[in-house]
Amino acid sequence: VEVVYVPGDQERDAHGQWMSAQTVQAACEDFNNNLSNISPNLYHLSNTNKFEILKSWINEIDMVSPTGQEVKEGTWLVKLRYSPELWIEKKAGKLQGVSIGCRGVVNPETQEITQVSFSPD
């Protein structure tokens, strides 16, 4: 299980951007609706069959994961199944986190992302 996105401007992503809880919820729903059109890929370079997306959902309560990571209510989570060779790389720390690879609108002043879409259109 991986964290996809944490809502709120206190938890900015690697690009310094953020999404409201409502946008994260809508993004997760759109992702799930378009899952058949989404191809897993590695490092934004190439599609792969070395992992598959099993499930995507919004966490409903504040909790601590079995690994000790705090997971805030409203966090978007995804369950993945890795190939044996990719799982070795994941456990070794060579693979870290997931990226949503979507389209959206970024406010240049606040860096808030809105209108997230995974639709192929």
Side-chain angles (χ1 to χ4, degrees), residues 5 11 23 98 102 111:
Y5 215 92
E11 297 274 345
T23 299
V98 296
C102 63
Q111 295 301 299

mmCIF file of all heavy atoms in Angstrom, residues 5 11 23 98 102 111:
data_model
loop_
_atom_site.group_PDB
_atom_site.id
_atom_site.type_symbol
_atom_site.label_atom_id
_atom_site.label_comp_id
_atom_site.label_asym_id
_atom_site.label_seq_id
_atom_site.Cartn_x
_atom_site.Cartn_y
_atom_site.Cartn_z
ATOM 1 N N TYR A 5 -1.390 10.662 -2.458
ATOM 2 C CA TYR A 5 -1.428 12.109 -2.247
ATOM 3 C C TYR A 5 -2.051 12.419 -0.895
ATOM 4 O O TYR A 5 -3.059 11.836 -0.531
ATOM 5 C CB TYR A 5 -2.232 12.798 -3.354
ATOM 6 C CG TYR A 5 -1.682 14.149 -3.723
ATOM 7 C CD1 TYR A 5 -0.762 14.283 -4.752
ATOM 8 C CD2 TYR A 5 -2.061 15.278 -3.027
ATOM 9 C CE1 TYR A 5 -0.236 15.514 -5.087
ATOM 10 C CE2 TYR A 5 -1.539 16.521 -3.347
ATOM 11 C CZ TYR A 5 -0.628 16.634 -4.384
ATOM 12 O OH TYR A 5 -0.104 17.862 -4.700
ATOM 13 N N GLU A 11 1.069 19.759 3.364
ATOM 14 C CA GLU A 11 1.768 18.570 2.844
ATOM 15 C C GLU A 11 1.970 18.739 1.342
ATOM 16 O O GLU A 11 1.276 18.130 0.543
ATOM 17 C CB GLU A 11 0.932 17.317 3.104
ATOM 18 C CG GLU A 11 0.719 17.006 4.555
ATOM 19 C CD GLU A 11 1.858 16.201 5.140
ATOM 20 O OE1 GLU A 11 2.661 15.642 4.391
ATOM 21 O OE2 GLU A 11 1.914 16.152 6.375
ATOM 22 N N THR A 23 -10.391 18.053 -3.853
ATOM 23 C CA THR A 23 -9.728 17.743 -5.124
ATOM 24 C C THR A 23 -9.100 16.359 -5.079
ATOM 25 O O THR A 23 -9.167 15.611 -6.057
ATOM 26 C CB THR A 23 -8.678 18.815 -5.464
ATOM 27 O OG1 THR A 23 -9.332 20.085 -5.585
ATOM 28 C CG2 THR A 23 -7.962 18.506 -6.763
ATOM 29 N N VAL A 98 4.931 6.786 -5.345
ATOM 30 C CA VAL A 98 4.250 6.718 -6.632
ATOM 31 C C VAL A 98 3.975 8.142 -7.103
ATOM 32 O O VAL A 98 3.987 9.090 -6.330
ATOM 33 C CB VAL A 98 2.926 5.919 -6.538
ATOM 34 C CG1 VAL A 98 3.189 4.474 -6.184
ATOM 35 C CG2 VAL A 98 1.970 6.550 -5.536
ATOM 36 N N CYS A 102 -1.041 12.918 -14.014
ATOM 37 C CA CYS A 102 -2.359 13.365 -14.465
ATOM 38 C C CYS A 102 -2.265 14.743 -15.119
ATOM 39 O O CYS A 102 -1.200 15.342 -15.171
ATOM 40 C CB CYS A 102 -3.311 13.445 -13.282
ATOM 41 S SG CYS A 102 -2.777 14.676 -12.062
ATOM 42 N N GLN A 111 0.039 27.629 -5.858
ATOM 43 C CA GLN A 111 0.503 26.285 -6.228
ATOM 44 C C GLN A 111 -0.546 25.206 -5.957
ATOM 45 O O GLN A 111 -0.220 24.017 -5.910
ATOM 46 C CB GLN A 111 1.832 25.941 -5.551
ATOM 47 C CG GLN A 111 2.977 26.822 -6.002
ATOM 48 C CD GLN A 111 3.207 26.718 -7.502
ATOM 49 O OE1 GLN A 111 3.502 25.646 -8.025
ATOM 50 N NE2 GLN A 111 3.059 27.829 -8.216
#
